[in-house]
Amino acid sequence: MSRALIIAVDGPAASGKGTVAARLARHYGLPYLDTGLLYRAVGLAVLDAGGDLDDAATAETAARKIDAAHLEDVERLTDRGAGEAASRVAGHPGVRAALLDYQRAFAARPGGAVLDGRDIGTVIAPDAPAKLFVTATPEVRATRRWKQLTGRGEVIAFEDMLADILRRDERDAGRGAAPMVQAADAVLLDTTELDIDAAFDAARRIIEAARARMGKSNA
Ligand code: C5P
């Protein structure tokens, strides 16, 4: 049986991974899951219930209730507060375990899938035939996120945005449970100097090389 095209896209906040992943999914006609939304939904569920983000049991209970219906309010899920809340609940191993089956089932769809996050290539789909690790300098990532959030009316100073990004990087890379790290077989894509079209082109070339390898191993 030939292997399904599972594309794992990992990287830090505002690296361009979401945009690249969504465009790859469109290009290859594959379903796409932004796994950050799951952690964001857990963070918001805890906050909405007046709970403590740092309490592992509270966060895990919230995570066990998350399903596709919780991922619909993308505007709220992608605001600044939700990102911060997500990175706090994401450090609890019980939260990660609760979200594992949903992500693995998505990755196992028969025709393949595109998933983006922090641990897709390392934990969720370690056997994915195509893996990207998308990054950019913290300053460029903060600039992108600042433009995005201020563009839709959030009021935030650039310095605070940069501090958010650096704090989130440190938390995501430094945690014990599934830390953000480039998988050994992932290809690094630095988007610091690239616009969206150039980043997508570079990503597509990397996936084409992976598909050529798959073709050989399926032959
Ligand atoms: O990708 P996004 O910025 O939406 O993710 C929000 C937060 O969710 C991240 O900072 C990270 O802490 C957490 N996350 C994670 N593992 C994933 C996706 C997101 O820990 N696969």
Side-chain angles (χ1 to χ4, degrees):
M1 204 180 98
S2 61
R3 282 169 87 192
L5 181 59
I6 302 170
I7 303 178
V9 184
D10 289 303
S15 57
K17 68 181 187 311
T19 309
V20 163
R23 278 187 67 168
L24 287 172
R26 265 204 311 279
H27 182 77
Y28 290 107
L30 294 172
Y32 163 54
L33 179 64
D34 170 356
T35 65
L37 292 181
L38 295 167
Y39 293 90
R40 287 167 178 268
V42 175
L44 286 182
V46 172
L47 291 177
D48 286 349
D52 176 0
L53 295 167
D54 297 323
D55 183 70
T58 303
E60 184 179 336
T61 302
R64 298 221 168 266
K65 294 183 188 143
I66 296 299
D67 59 22
H70 290 87
L71 309 183
E72 278 163 15
D73 189 355
V74 174
E75 178 91 11
R76 181 158 186 247
L77 286 166
T78 52
D79 75 13
R80 185 182 171 204
E84 175 67 17
S87 88
R88 285 183 44 200
V89 294
H92 301 305
V95 168
R96 307 199 72 83
L99 299 177
L100 196 66
D101 286 350
Y102 184 91
Q103 297 174 84
R104 288 232 169 114
F106 196 96
R109 290 188 179 198
V114 182
L115 291 87
D116 83 52
R118 303 291 187 290
D119 62 345
I120 309 303
T122 50
V123 174
I124 303 299
D127 295 330
K131 297 183 185 176
L132 287 171
F133 192 86
V134 184
T135 190
T137 62
E139 290 73 17
V140 164
R141 291 188 284 121
T143 304
R144 288 177 187 158
R145 188 49 59 86
W146 182 84
K147 281 187 185 154
Q148 183 191 9
L149 295 181
T150 54
R152 64 188 203 201
E154 283 196 48
V155 177
I156 170 168
F158 175 76
E159 292 68 31
D160 293 338
M161 193 75 260
L162 182 59
D164 268 19
I165 292 268
L166 292 172
R167 189 170 56 243
R168 208 126 73 80
D169 284 359
E170 199 181 313
R171 216 184 264 145
D172 289 346
R175 68 181 172 224
M180 173 178 68
V181 61
Q182 182 180 345
D185 54 349
V187 179
L188 184 68
L189 174 58
D190 187 331
T191 66
T192 302
E193 309 274 346
L194 304 180
D195 66 13
I196 290 170
D197 286 339
F200 170 67
D201 268 357
R204 195 179 44 76
R205 280 197 297 274
I206 294 166
I207 304 306
E208 284 307 310
R211 289 180 78 210
R213 284 195 303 275
M214 284 169 74
K216 280 193 195 121
S217 63
N218 286 332

